[in-house]
Amino acid sequence: MNFTPEVVIKSPGRINLIGEHLDYNGGHVLPAAIDLTVTLRLRKKNSRSCTIYSKSIDDSFQVDLDKLEISSQEWHNYFLGVIHFTEQRYPGHISGFDCIVESNLPIGSGVSSSAALECGIAVALKNLFDIPVTDEEIIYIARDAEHHFVGTKCGIMDQFAVVRGKKEKLIQLNCHDLSFDYVPAELSPYAIVLLNTNVSHNLATSEYNLRRQECEAALEIVRKRYPVYEALAHIPKKIVQEHEKEMTPKMFQRAEYVIEENQRTLQASLALAKQNLPDFGALLFASHTGLSEKYEVSCPELDFLVKQAHHHPNVIGARMMGGGFGGCTINLVHKDHMDSFIEHTALAYQKKFQIELTPHTVKIGDGVQLIL
Ligand code: GLA
């Protein structure tokens, strides 16, 4: 499929420096949009159907606008979900269209290709059909599509970063009330290197939803006696410890991780403000240990890459990033030693798992944008 588009959208992936699995626990996170993007090209057509073609996977499908049903194909559901929830808020605006999707964002790798696609579709529909949808609504439409059509009960961090990302800025986001600040991403002389394990264990969705349930259950137990706490990340550790016997061991472990990670994220922001990059990096390593041992969302491939980074003299911090069970690690690597670090780690990884890793040196970019 090829055509002259009426609307072109570029929608970025995101990184998260620290604060993992905190968004649905009312905690603090430190994400940013990156310069790896999904591009969507669209034109209207005179019918009630849409043809969507993905160049990256060379596959297409049709959407009947009068029959939006959940599909068995995950990538179809991003479109179906966003169309459904946009239509729900702004009925009668959307009519038939063609769309070509292309991406240089690795899929299912913890850099939020899903939110990039969902927010990109929402902004594309807004512009193609002049829908007065706001940025905030786009964040929620994309999140609802993920919850109800794709099936991951995700938080709000990814959609927020994709929509509100700003060049060279990190977003200090409080996921409880969505207040946020942009802070300069002053990490020099260190660069951000993502190492994609190229594995994606299919536990990801079910385990993700299970973690969320465990956290909600832990919060409910504490709230029976302390209803003042509205989010797990806000509870002092001492109070969680008082309730240890009422929780399952897993629930208790998850709660401890959430509270500690929230503290680490706040400390990391302070370290960054003071330009204390070694402390900042050390908090990333500590975050990984928590994610791996207490929250149990890592996997041998991610643990191996973080361990390699830890032993490398020119890396000050590394950890798994995103939902987990595969995908990327994020590494802060001295800019003069990036190539040797990547080469060394790729060789070791190949030797250990017989898998090639894919490195990405990313820059912090703007959020989703209308190009045409
Ligand atoms: C996925 C989800 C986010 C967030 C991260 C973990 O990317 O979509 O909402 O929970 O995992 O921090």
Side-chain angles (χ1 to χ4, degrees), residues 9 11-12 38 40 74-83 85-86 101 105 112-126 137-152 154-155 158-160 162-163 368:
I9 302 291
S11 188
V38 176
L40 296 142
E74 190 168 285
W75 80 277
H76 298 184
N77 286 323
Y78 298 119
F79 283 87
L80 295 164
V82 172
I83 294 172
F85 286 109
T86 307
V101 194
L105 192 58
S112 200
S113 51
S114 1
L117 188 51
E118 289 151 354
C119 297
I121 299 164
V123 175
L125 295 177
K126 167 189 165 110
E137 287 178 309
I138 287 172
I139 292 172
Y140 287 115
I141 287 170
R143 197 269 317 265
D144 290 348
E146 186 80 33
H147 278 202
H148 301 290
F149 276 71
V150 183
T152 306
C154 65
D158 300 353
Q159 295 76 10
F160 198 97
V162 169
V163 171
V368 55

Side-chain angles (χ1 to χ4, degrees), residues 4 43 46 62 84 89 99 106 121 150 153 165 168 178 184 187 193-194 208 215 239 260 282 295 344 355:
T4 308
R43 69 162 175 202
N46 236 343
Q62 302 283 331
H84 172 85
R89 285 175 189 250
C99 175
I121 299 164
V150 183
K153 303 291 181 201
E168 285 162 20
L178 294 193
L187 300 168
V193 178
L194 306 183
Y208 185 96
C215 290
I239 291 192
E260 288 162 4
Y295 214 64
H344 176 266
I355 305 172

Side-chain angles (χ1 to χ4, degrees), residues 14 16 19-24 154-158 208 322-323:
R14 65 100 191 89
N16 183 26
E20 216 62 89
H21 286 273
L22 289 191
D23 56 353
Y24 55 87
C154 65
I156 203 74
M157 169 174 78
D158 300 353
Y208 185 96

Side-chain angles (χ1 to χ4, degrees), residues 186-192 277-278 313-316 332-335:
E186 278 164 358
L187 300 168
S188 180
Y190 297 92
I192 299 167
L277 295 181
N314 301 111
V315 181
I316 54 162
L332 298 180
V333 189
H334 195 288
K335 63 177 176 17

